Amino acid sequence: QNTMRDAMVTAMTLNLFNNRCDVVAMANVAQLCNNLHCLFLSGDENCVCTPTYHIFDMYKGHQGAQAFRTVVTDNDVFESSVTVSASVKDGKTLVTAGNLSCTEEAVLELNAVGGELPETAVLHLLADADLHVHNTFEQPERVRPVTVTVDPRKPLHIPAGGIAALEF
């Protein structure tokens, strides 16, 4: 079953690809349905989105965008628990971040170089206290992102295993 742990791996991989877009020209998921890391689970007349699907949906703003360099500080290079990438397209910035720690919250503080952060941004957050949680035919919306408006100038708290997409 595709769980929040799979969503964490997906976020890490997509951030890596976005940060190395000078080398990776294209990447795609190998299987769409009823397989490891798939986007959908189907059976009979049922079809549900997996946590991996939600990450692909949250990250779609990076497609065709201009990636820009992100730097994570105050992290041990060999034990970094935060993965981040960012891009801009049509004047809109997308910052995606994954907290790869299964036990600790991550606090993300954004600092813009050569500009200022806006007062408001839209945050999509996919998180759950149980990293083994997944969607089922009985509970098709058990795992789904929540969307809120935040001030990107203030610290962003990402729960253990949580993935955030910040748009401004």
Side-chain angles (χ1 to χ4, degrees):
Q1 187 59 274
N2 190 297
T3 69
M4 278 297 300
R5 291 176 65 98
D6 296 292
M8 292 167 60
V9 170
T10 302
M12 178 185 66
T13 304
L14 292 178
N15 280 338
L16 175 68
F17 288 166
N18 196 45
N19 286 328
R20 291 308 316 264
C21 63
D22 60 320
V23 176
V24 180
M26 183 183 88
N28 52 314
V29 66
Q31 48 273 344
L32 290 176
C33 193
N34 293 351
N35 214 314
L36 295 173
H37 298 286
C38 64
L39 303 183
F40 306 100
L41 177 63
S42 70
D44 297 325
E45 71 280 352
N46 300 303
C47 184
V48 297
C49 296
T50 66
T52 298
Y53 165 83
H54 292 299
I55 299 304
F56 272 81
D57 189 46
M58 291 165 59
Y59 278 59
K60 68 185 175 191
H62 287 310
Q63 289 182 316
Q66 176 66 48
F68 59 87
R69 187 166 181 253
T70 57
V71 177
V72 177
T73 60
D74 291 336
N75 258 340
D76 184 314
V77 172
F78 298 106
E79 294 184 27
S80 178
S81 65
V82 178
T83 174
V84 178
S85 71
S87 64
V88 64
K89 179 170 65 175
D90 300 328
K92 295 182 182 177
T93 299
L94 175 63
V95 178
T96 51
N99 179 1
L100 304 180
S101 172
C102 296
T103 58
E104 301 295 324
E105 173 185 78
V107 179
L108 188 66
E109 294 184 34
L110 301 179
N111 294 301
V113 176
E116 293 185 24
L117 293 170
E119 292 181 16
T120 61
V122 175
L123 172 67
H124 306 280
L125 180 65
L126 185 68
D128 197 282
D130 180 1
L131 297 181
H132 298 97
V133 70
H134 55 276
N135 289 334
T136 64
F137 299 138
E138 296 75 31
Q139 290 185 298
E141 304 254 330
R142 173 66 178 86
V143 181
R144 64 186 181 97
V146 295
T147 301
V148 296
T149 301
V150 298
D151 183 345
R153 300 168 304 171
K154 295 182 178 176
L156 176 64
H157 296 262
I158 305 174
I163 298 95
L166 190 66
E167 300 173 315
F168 52 88

